[in-house]
Amino acid sequence: MKHLITIFALSTTLFSCKKEVFQDEKLVPYAESVKKELYDRGIEFSLNFNLVIEEGLADNRGAWGLSKGNSIYIDKGIYESKIKGGQEYKLEYLMLHEIGHNVFGLDHTDSQFDELSRPIIMYYPNWQFISKQDRELMYDSFVSQIR
């Protein structure tokens, strides 16, 4: 009986605990910026996923970012080059692209622009080329994709 109570207590503890989420502090500001921009446009979601900077992601997979399971991975070399190059805003765009996959289930699109000529962040190479001036248009286009 003592073992049965111990097993019950252990299983109850295991199944009632929330799954821990790891978020690299270097990536959190970009995810929070995306969350705020979407919230301002009436879209709410939780940042309840892992944010990881991974070495060699671009070299091994050809990807600058990757969404898999409950995690978003950003290539370390890409992260560092955007920081050093003064292009931090492109990390926000990459984060929006990966959140599109991870949170909203969006796939890549073949279209670079939507019907209103706004840049589409889910067009694979687009996030690299969208300027700071097109930021608002890009977010508006993203919102129209998920509504």
Side-chain angles (χ1 to χ4, degrees), residues 106-121:
L106 298 177
D107 290 325
H108 291 136
T109 179
D110 295 330
S111 302
Q112 188 172 0
F113 299 98
D114 68 10
E115 66 280 352
L116 299 175
S117 298
R118 300 176 298 194
I120 298 175
I121 196 67

Side-chain angles (χ1 to χ4, degrees), residues 13-62:
T13 303
L14 287 174
F15 290 109
S16 65
C17 291
K18 274 189 163 180
K19 189 174 182 179
E20 285 295 313
V21 173
F22 171 78
Q23 295 187 332
D24 189 303
E25 65 186 35
K26 295 174 188 170
L27 296 177
V28 170
Y30 305 106
E32 287 179 344
S33 181
V34 168
K35 184 177 179 178
K36 181 193 177 310
E37 287 297 325
L38 293 179
Y39 179 83
D40 289 349
R41 289 166 171 79
I43 306 296
E44 293 185 55
F45 69 96
S46 169
L47 292 177
N48 193 25
F49 46 83
N50 300 309
L51 293 170
V52 182
I53 295 176
E54 184 172 301
E55 184 82 44
L57 185 62
D59 298 334
N60 298 334
R61 294 181 178 243

Side-chain angles (χ1 to χ4, degrees), residues 122-134:
M122 298 313 292
Y123 176 68
Y124 175 65
N126 238 15
W127 73 267
Q128 303 169 58
F129 304 110
I130 298 172
S131 69
K132 280 185 178 180
Q133 293 78 15
D134 287 335

Side-chain angles (χ1 to χ4, degrees), residues 47-93:
L47 292 177
N48 193 25
F49 46 83
N50 300 309
L51 293 170
V52 182
I53 295 176
E54 184 172 301
E55 184 82 44
L57 185 62
D59 298 334
N60 298 334
R61 294 181 178 243
W64 292 16
L66 176 70
S67 290
K68 186 175 179 183
N70 192 40
S71 300
I72 292 177
Y73 302 91
I74 304 298
D75 180 77
K76 183 178 180 182
I78 297 302
Y79 171 82
E80 290 173 350
S81 72
K82 298 305 173 197
I83 295 295
K84 289 177 186 171
Q87 297 180 324
E88 295 94 340
Y89 69 95
K90 290 191 177 181
L91 291 169
E92 178 185 345
Y93 296 178

